[in-house]
Amino acid sequence: MLPGVSVYTPGQVAEETGFSLDTLRYYERIGLLEPIGRNAAGQRRFTQDDVGWLGTIRCLRDTGMPIAEMLRFAELVRKGDHTIRDRIALLEAHDRRVEAQVDNLREKQAAVQNKINYYRTVVD
């Protein structure tokens, strides 16, 4: 986040989060983002909380969480602290899927490394 700034333009948020402007609008339209405030001219202005939430969404998206699950997570967050156990369960299930993907990638990496080692023995 930019130091000393409390509201952000869509362009600043796009740069900060790596989400395109279209994606930001889409996330707002489907309810993944709360409705974004607007200035007197009707231009969207994001808060630090919005940017922080987008950081969470970026993490979930980058680890392969489907939009439907991100929407469920957002819904649970908005319902309040009494949903924390449900949030933990949702995140634990996602974490197990991520761990399985990491294990799968490690297996494939080992195969690639074996191929590299084989080719090194052929050229030496």
Side-chain angles (χ1 to χ4, degrees):
M1 290 194 248
L2 302 171
V5 177
S6 60
V7 293
Y8 302 85
T9 67
Q12 289 170 319
V13 173
E15 186 174 324
E16 177 73 22
T17 65
F19 289 122
S20 70
L21 295 173
D22 287 338
T23 298
L24 293 173
R25 284 189 292 273
Y26 172 69
Y27 284 173
E28 184 181 9
R29 189 174 71 249
I30 66 171
L32 196 51
L33 278 173
E34 290 281 341
I36 301 302
R38 295 176 182 264
N39 65 12
Q43 300 164 322
R44 285 181 173 83
R45 291 297 179 253
F46 292 79
T47 66
Q48 290 180 345
D49 286 345
D50 296 327
V51 175
W53 176 250
L54 283 164
T56 300
I57 296 305
R58 166 58 68 195
C59 175
L60 296 176
R61 179 178 144 178
D62 287 352
T63 55
M65 182 179 276
I67 293 265
E69 284 187 34
M70 287 191 285
L71 285 167
R72 175 72 178 135
F73 182 71
E75 175 187 351
L76 291 170
V77 168
R78 290 180 189 127
K79 285 184 176 181
D81 287 348
H82 70 279
T83 67
I84 288 177
R85 290 186 195 282
D86 292 330
R87 288 183 245 170
I88 290 169
L90 187 146
L91 292 172
E92 285 176 338
H94 179 62
D95 184 56
R96 286 189 295 274
R97 287 190 304 274
V98 170
E99 189 62 39
Q101 290 172 351
V102 169
D103 290 345
N104 187 5
L105 284 173
R106 287 191 200 286
E107 288 176 20
K108 289 178 174 34
Q109 182 184 34
V112 169
Q113 290 171 344
N114 286 338
K115 191 58 75 176
I116 291 167
N117 290 335
Y118 167 76
Y119 286 131
R120 284 187 175 146
T121 64
V122 171
V123 295
D124 290 340

